[in-house]
Amino acid sequence: MLTLRDIRVERQGRTVLQLPALQLDGRAFTVILGHNGSGKSTLMNLLARQLQPDQGQLQLNGQPLNRLSARQFARAVAYLPQRLPEVAGLTVAELVGLGRYPWRGAFGRWSAQDSAIVAEAMRAADVTQHAAHEAELLSGGERQRAWIAMLLAQQSPLLLLDEPTSALDLAHQYQLMGLLRRLNRDSGRGVVVVLHDINLAARHADRIIALQQGRLYFDGSPLELLHSPRLSGLYGVDIQLLPQAGQPCPVAVVA
C-alpha cells in the first residue's frame, strides 16, 4: 500500500501537484489519467522516488518512503520511466538479468534460481525468442516487453510505469496493456500506469485516478468515469460515449 498525505509540489512558485490524501492498493491495476500538465508524471515521479515533495509524506506499507534504502525500495517497487535508458550492447537476457540486482548486489554470485527467474520473466513477457538479440535493435513493442521482463525479474510486488505506450502504435499499445493486465491477475502484483488514452485505461484498469491542474479530479472505477459531462469537464472538450460491442464500457470519442 502506497499512502500520500498532504502532498504539495511547487515549481517556480506555482503548485503543480496538491493531494491532501491518496492511497494506492498494492494489488490493483490503477491508471493515472489527465491532460498534459495535469501532474501525472509528477505524481509518478513521487511514487518512484525520483522526486521529493515540497510538503507532505509518502509511505510504503506504513514506512516513510525516504527512509528505505535503495535496495529495500527496489525489492518492493519496480519502476519503468517514460524514456527508457540506453542499454547499448546488452542482449535481452542480459537486460532482464539486471532485474536481479536488488537481490544479488553488484558482486553477488549468479545462481540457478536467478537463471530460472530470468527465464520465467522472459517467458511471461513473451521475449524468450529474443534472448540473444541486442535489446536496442528490437522494435518498439519488443523493446518495451523486454523492459517489462526486467521488471518482472526484479520480483517487486508493485510495478510503476510512466506512459509505457506513448511510443507504440495502436496494436502494440493494446498488446502491452493486455500483458500488464494478465501479469496483474496471474501474479497478484500491483500495477500503476500513467496513460493518456481514456479507452485504453477503461478497458484494463480496476481503478482510475484522474488529475486536473495538479489536483484530484476523479478517483473510482472506469464505469464511474465514463460519463460525458465528467469526461468533458476533465479534458475541456465535448466527449460523447458510444456503445462498444462485446465490452462492458462504452467508447469515448470527441464530439
Side-chain angles (χ1 to χ4, degrees):
M1 180 74 72
L2 276 166
T3 304
L4 296 83
R5 293 192 180 93
D6 300 320
I7 295 296
R8 181 189 293 268
V9 178
E10 296 183 354
R11 289 291 178 269
Q12 299 178 336
R14 182 175 66 90
T15 299
V16 296
L17 186 67
Q18 184 170 357
L19 296 171
L22 185 67
Q23 284 192 331
L24 296 175
D25 186 343
R27 296 164 297 179
F29 194 113
T30 304
V31 171
I32 302 172
L33 277 179
H35 53 74
N36 288 336
S38 63
K40 302 186 306 298
S41 288
T42 299
L43 174 56
M44 178 60 75
N45 284 333
L46 287 176
L47 299 176
R49 290 210 320 187
Q50 304 298 301
L51 176 68
Q52 291 294 320
D54 295 292
Q55 173 187 307
Q57 188 179 66
L58 293 90
Q59 293 184 339
L60 177 63
N61 299 326
Q63 298 185 58
L65 217 56
N66 58 7
R67 293 185 186 175
L68 299 175
S69 70
R71 181 174 290 187
Q72 286 174 323
F73 182 73
R75 288 181 175 183
V77 178
Y79 169 58
L80 189 67
Q82 182 177 352
R83 180 170 294 180
L84 299 178
E86 292 186 8
V87 288
L90 287 186
T91 66
V92 169
E94 290 168 338
L95 171 63
V96 178
L98 294 179
R100 300 305 301 150
Y101 176 81
W103 304 95
R104 296 173 52 250
F107 304 105
R109 182 176 301 226
W110 190 265
S111 69
Q113 182 184 24
D114 291 315
S115 296
I117 290 170
V118 167
E120 173 57 24
M122 289 193 295
R123 186 205 63 76
D126 193 23
V127 292
T128 302
Q129 66 274 27
H130 302 300
H133 299 166
E134 190 171 336
E136 288 292 296
L137 300 181
L138 299 179
S139 70
E142 292 165 345
R143 189 165 61 253
Q144 286 284 44
R145 292 204 308 274
W147 279 91
I148 297 296
M150 191 271 284
L151 264 62
L152 294 179
Q154 194 171 324
Q155 290 197 313
S156 307
L158 180 61
L159 309 181
L160 307 178
L161 303 98
D162 191 356
E163 299 196 32
T165 63
S166 61
L168 303 180
D169 60 36
L170 189 62
H172 283 113
Q173 288 179 25
Y174 277 84
Q175 288 173 11
L176 178 60
M177 288 297 290
L179 167 63
L180 293 173
R181 177 80 257 196
R182 289 192 301 275
L183 293 172
N184 168 252
R185 287 174 173 164
D186 294 346
S187 70
R189 295 182 186 183
V191 178
V192 181
V193 187
V194 170
L195 290 179
H196 278 289
D197 191 310
I198 301 167
N199 297 312
L200 197 61
R203 176 172 288 201
H204 296 96
D206 298 315
R207 175 188 181 188
I208 294 177
I209 294 169
L211 301 178
Q212 186 181 67
Q213 297 181 345
R215 288 166 171 78
L216 186 65
Y217 177 87
F218 172 84
D219 184 359
S221 71
L223 281 174
E224 291 171 323
L225 176 63
L226 290 175
H227 291 277
S228 293
R230 186 170 291 150
L231 288 174
S232 300
L234 174 62
Y235 288 100
V237 63
D238 187 14
I239 295 178
Q240 299 297 319
L241 300 172
L242 302 176
Q244 184 178 191
Q247 295 293 330
C249 293
V251 175
V253 297
V254 176

